[in-house]
Amino acid sequence: MTQKVIIFDFDGTIADTVDALVSIANRLAVDFGYMQITPEQLTLLRNFSSREIIKYSGVSLIKIPFLVKKVKSELKNKIHELKPIPGIKEALLELQQNDYKLGIITSNSRENVTAFLRNNELDILFDFIYSGVTIFGKTTIINNVLRQKQFKPQTVIYVGDETRDIEASKKANIKVIAVTWGFNSPEVLAKQNPDFLIHQPSELLDIVKNN
């Protein structure tokens, strides 16, 4: 029987980074020409897709790669403070004990991810980490991983917290589990019709086992 592969997004899915990312984004607002994010705006942004957020912010598309690079660099200084999403460590351990292959695809830096995993004793759980920056989704990175690792799409499930994770997975013809504990709201995730929508990490194993 072919081993199932579960690929995770990092920020908001495994690591509780939303507050840290918002504070960094607010610190960089003047330099990159966008408004700071108030708590009220954050609630609004949670209901936006990635494209809508970029449009709403007014950030020039040319500046986005530089902004992403700067955010990752600033986040490096906060890695030691960051914690896993409550319950995710136990869920990951369960998946590994049931012989699923685990990986990460992220727009964060590999250095940040490996430091976080090491600090939280999660590094031994993952078979691979792929890092890459895409503004509107991760389809290219997912397809590259499937090709390089020779994974069949039907054996892969992606787990993410944003609308772009759902879009990218669908384009790559793999199943997707959307999680409601990260950035996007349950309502906007549901509108994208993920294969599964879950509210607790403890739900992961049952879904993976039965699909």
Side-chain angles (χ1 to χ4, degrees):
M1 197 173 112
T2 311
Q3 189 180 28
K4 256 188 202 165
V5 183
I6 320 301
I7 302 176
F8 288 82
D9 170 54
F10 177 71
D11 291 291
T13 302
I14 292 173
D16 190 358
T17 56
V18 173
D19 289 347
L21 290 169
V22 168
S23 75
I24 291 168
N26 281 343
R27 206 159 57 245
L28 299 174
V30 174
D31 291 350
F32 285 89
Y34 57 86
M35 297 288 286
Q36 289 196 333
I37 305 161
T38 64
E40 293 75 27
Q41 278 178 317
L42 184 59
T43 303
L44 181 70
L45 293 176
R46 285 181 188 274
N47 288 297
F48 283 4
S49 70
S50 304
R51 283 180 179 80
E52 288 169 338
I53 290 169
I54 290 166
K55 192 174 175 183
Y56 178 84
S57 72
V59 179
S60 157
L61 288 178
I62 297 162
K63 286 185 178 177
I64 286 173
F66 301 101
L67 175 59
V68 170
K69 189 177 179 184
K70 185 71 175 161
V71 168
K72 286 192 285 195
S73 166
E74 296 245 341
L75 193 63
K76 184 180 173 184
N77 300 321
K78 288 180 172 276
I79 283 292
H80 64 283
E81 301 169 15
L82 301 176
K83 294 292 171 208
I85 295 292
I88 196 72
K89 186 172 184 175
E90 294 78 4
L92 292 168
L93 281 163
E94 274 190 329
L95 288 168
Q96 194 207 39
Q97 285 159 6
N98 280 268
D99 200 33
Y100 297 110
K101 190 186 282 285
L102 308 181
I104 291 173
I105 291 178
T106 180
S107 50
N108 208 319
S109 71
R110 187 184 176 87
E111 187 183 3
N112 284 348
V113 173
T114 50
F116 174 88
L117 295 177
R118 199 168 50 244
N119 291 348
N120 292 284
E121 299 176 338
L122 294 168
D123 47 329
I124 58 163
L125 298 178
F126 292 95
D127 290 275
F128 59 88
I129 299 166
Y130 280 78
S131 167
V133 177
T134 53
I135 298 168
F136 295 129
K138 300 174 179 172
T139 312
T140 305
I141 304 170
I142 292 171
N143 284 333
N144 287 344
V145 171
L146 298 185
R147 191 173 60 252
Q148 286 173 27
K149 295 281 188 182
Q150 296 183 314
F151 295 148
K152 292 185 172 69
Q154 62 270 28
T155 67
V156 179
I157 301 177
Y158 194 91
V159 184
D161 68 313
E162 293 184 64
T163 58
R164 62 187 181 139
D165 296 318
I166 302 170
E167 288 172 22
S169 301
K170 287 186 171 188
K171 284 178 186 168
N173 295 310
I174 60 174
K175 285 183 178 173
V176 59
I177 300 172
V179 305
T180 61
W181 57 77
F183 181 74
N184 274 139
S185 70
E187 294 76 22
V188 78
L189 291 170
K191 278 182 192 169
Q192 296 291 327
N193 294 312
D195 295 289
F196 312 97
L197 184 69
I198 66 171
H199 306 283
Q200 303 288 338
S202 55
E203 297 173 69
L204 277 167
L205 184 61
D206 274 350
I207 285 178
V208 170
K209 261 187 177 174
N210 296 314
N211 293 280

